[in-house]
Amino acid sequence: MQTKPWNFSAGPSMLPPSVLRQAQRELLDWNGQGASVMELSHRGAPFMELARGIESDLRTLLAIPDNYRVLFTAGGATTIQALLALNFAAPNQRADYVVSGHWSQTALKQARPYVNVQIAAQPAPFDRSPDPAEWTWSRDSAFVHYTANETIHGIAQREVPILPADAPPLIADASSSIASEPMAIERLGAIYAGAQKNLGPVGISVLIVRNDLLEREGQPRADIFRYALQAERDSMLNTPPTFNWYLLGLTVRWMLEQGGTRAFRERNERKAHTLYEVIDGSDGFYRNNVQPDSRSIMNVPFFLPSADLDALFVQESQRLGFIGLKGHKAIGGIRASIYNAMPQEGVDALAELMTDFKRRHG
Ligand code: PMP
């Protein structure tokens, strides 16, 4: 049926093969330095130049406006979720959270010790991204936070909402959708993402933040948690994860060469459509519980008629060389993560498996 293992892991997830091959070629001697990039000082001229180039490429890829800083941080998206509150809210100031699934809940949990958390919207069950017109927030809040793509539930808010002029700054967790399509960053106070889906390897994250937010006093905290200071020091307050940064750079360059976010939107919509078409045309054998206009183009969760069939599907997929299709333990079922690095060919192979499996077990 297929010619190679296709990796549908949710994150860490597949990287573009050409990126891995380049890293392999350069592993022992990067940039003519006679050493690996991971063996060199982050403060040396070659790495500083690399880091500047990566930021510049990322700014081009995501069309980041000049009045935003780009930080490269360790600790993952979860650490950012806690530090948002410490940096951009006064002690116990109100902050409004849109809760559209598992990762919104995580974001809220990380902030709870530091701010007065209020829920701006929370559908039950999690089957859609709530309409921004129905979000509740206060003008006095530090910020409004939402999750652009719920990686486990496969729920997306693909358009960056435009809030009224008197609304607090909007902050987006775009961990599993950044660079998957054009995004109106200028509508946001900040946007962040762990790299391990679309941007490269785990171990580095990106925080893009508007200058005025960096001027906020925030809460008492150690210097290492001060985003304004990190910005001042080019994300090098301490030793950064240099190899991950380098791999992120290769991945960003690859996305630019592939045509950027517009090209990826087209490809990703087509890939997602391929899978949703099989699901919707399966007479209920495959089920996706998300309302059509909130369906993710990055993570496609689906369920078979029984947990036994879910397990059999996963088992069979593994035998055929598919990787990472087992759904997250929070909701079970199957999940196909189809980030930018996944080609249409891999998705077609999965669609073929689904069609064939239904023929045999439907
Ligand atoms: N937000 C979203 C949307 C995610 O998908 C994830 C991880 N899968 C996280 C936050 C947490 O990221 P990290 O593991 O980098 O802390």
Side-chain angles (χ1 to χ4, degrees), residues 75-78 81 103 147 149 151 173 175-176 194 196-197:
T78 312
Q81 289 170 342
W103 292 110
T147 306
N149 188 76
T151 320
D173 175 357
S175 290
S176 49
Q196 63 268 29
K197 288 99 161 63

Side-chain angles (χ1 to χ4, degrees), residues 94 96-98 118-121 131-138 141 144:
R94 174 173 166 159
D96 296 297
Y97 279 76
V98 178
Q118 296 293 323
I119 293 179
D131 181 351
E134 289 162 16
W135 297 0
T136 57
W137 41 264
S138 159
S141 290
V144 180

Side-chain angles (χ1 to χ4, degrees), residues 71-84:
L71 303 187
F72 297 89
T73 67
T78 312
T79 302
I80 294 177
Q81 289 170 342
L83 293 182
L84 290 175

